[in-house]
């Protein structure tokens, strides 16, 4: 899989924080059933790596990735856990090299034209725009599209059902990342029907 194929899987990539690895498989199944196969599990909790392992092993229709990748070790352990893509909130030369060394598609985080251009010099054309809303939102990404049309972004950070379609309408946006699909109260309660319903709504956001 490459980044173009990743962008084509679904309009929204759920950004998931899991405190309990026992929730990983039913959560992933609910998201896939709702039409969102690409799932970013953030490395923010002790349960994250095991959650990736379980999803990779038990939910074959899911394309599980690791988010909040900030070190070379994060990239390596995500690969070993079965992650199929990597996402970072920002990027350094060392981190970019480590992610590239895994052979997995990766979305390094940027929030400025200079950061995007630095990655472009290294041949990277798919990036995460983070934090999307605080960094300028739709108007900023629209402005970047003029001088940097070769870059495709996945905006994340402040994306909601009410503004996701505005991002997806931009020609330089391949998909968006969002946390609203897996509310913490629903995950704690095991309310997978609610997660499935939210995923189904998000799966319809792709503009015609």
């Amino acid at each position: 899989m490459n980044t173009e194929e990743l962008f084509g899987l679904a309009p929204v990539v759920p950004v998931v924080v899991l405190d309990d690895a026992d929730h990983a498989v039913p959560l992933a199944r609910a998201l896939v059933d709702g039409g969102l196969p690409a799932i970013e599990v953030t490395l923010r909790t002790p349960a994250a790596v095991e959650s990736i392992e379980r999803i990779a092993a038990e939910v074959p229709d899911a394309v599980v990735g690791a988010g909040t990748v900030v070190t070379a070790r994060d990239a390596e352990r995500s690969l070993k856990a079965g992650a199929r893509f990597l996402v970072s909130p920002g990027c350094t030369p060392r981190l970019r090299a480590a992610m590239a060394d895994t052979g997995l598609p990766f979305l390094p985080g940027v929030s400025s034209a200079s950061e995007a251009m630095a990655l472009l010099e290294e041949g990277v054309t798919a990036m995460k725009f983070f934090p999307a809303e605080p960094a300028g939102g739709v108007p900023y990404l629209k402005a970047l599209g003029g001088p940097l049309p070769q870059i495709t972004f996945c905006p994340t950070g402040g994306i909601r059902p009410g503004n996701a379609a505005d991002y997806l309408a931009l020609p330089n946006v391949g998909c968006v990342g969002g946390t609203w699909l897996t509310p913490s109260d629903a995950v704690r309660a095991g309310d997978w029907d609610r997660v499935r319903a939210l995923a189904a709504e998000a799966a319809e956001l792709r503009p015609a």
Side-chain angles (χ1 to χ4, degrees):
M1 186 178 66
N2 56 35
T3 51
E4 183 176 344
E5 291 168 329
L6 176 62
F7 285 144
L9 289 173
V12 181
V13 175
V15 179
V16 178
V17 179
L18 284 166
D19 294 305
D20 186 345
D22 287 341
H23 290 150
V25 168
L27 175 68
R29 286 177 176 155
L31 291 168
V32 170
D33 288 347
L36 301 181
I39 302 167
E40 176 189 334
V41 177
T42 67
L43 301 180
R44 300 180 190 176
T45 69
V49 172
E50 184 181 351
S51 295
I52 292 170
E53 290 174 342
R54 290 194 185 188
I55 295 170
E58 300 181 44
V59 191
D61 291 333
V63 179
V64 64
T68 320
V69 175
V70 297
T71 66
R73 181 174 179 273
D74 287 342
E76 292 166 3
R77 64 180 181 152
S78 298
L79 174 65
K80 291 178 181 178
R84 294 177 61 186
F85 64 94
L86 306 174
V87 184
S88 66
C91 199
T92 65
R94 181 178 295 179
L95 180 60
R96 182 204 61 77
M99 291 193 291
D101 284 347
T102 66
L104 298 174
F106 61 96
L107 299 175
V110 300
S111 61
S112 72
S114 294
E115 291 170 341
M117 289 170 64
L119 284 166
L120 193 59
E121 287 183 348
E122 300 296 329
V124 179
T125 58
M127 305 174 196
K128 172 179 177 175
F129 181 61
F130 177 82
E133 283 289 283
V138 170
Y140 192 91
L141 275 177
K142 186 176 181 179
L144 284 181
L148 301 172
Q150 61 273 69
I151 300 175
T152 304
F153 295 97
C154 174
T156 305
I159 311 295
R160 310 176 302 278
N163 63 11
D166 294 333
Y167 282 94
L168 290 165
L170 297 176
N172 60 343
V173 169
C175 63
V176 299
T179 59
W180 83 88
L181 301 145
T182 54
S184 58
D185 59 336
V187 175
R188 285 194 302 269
D191 189 352
W192 311 126
D193 287 339
R194 181 180 171 195
V195 172
R196 188 179 298 105
L198 289 169
E201 292 174 3
E204 298 299 320
L205 286 171
R206 179 79 70 189

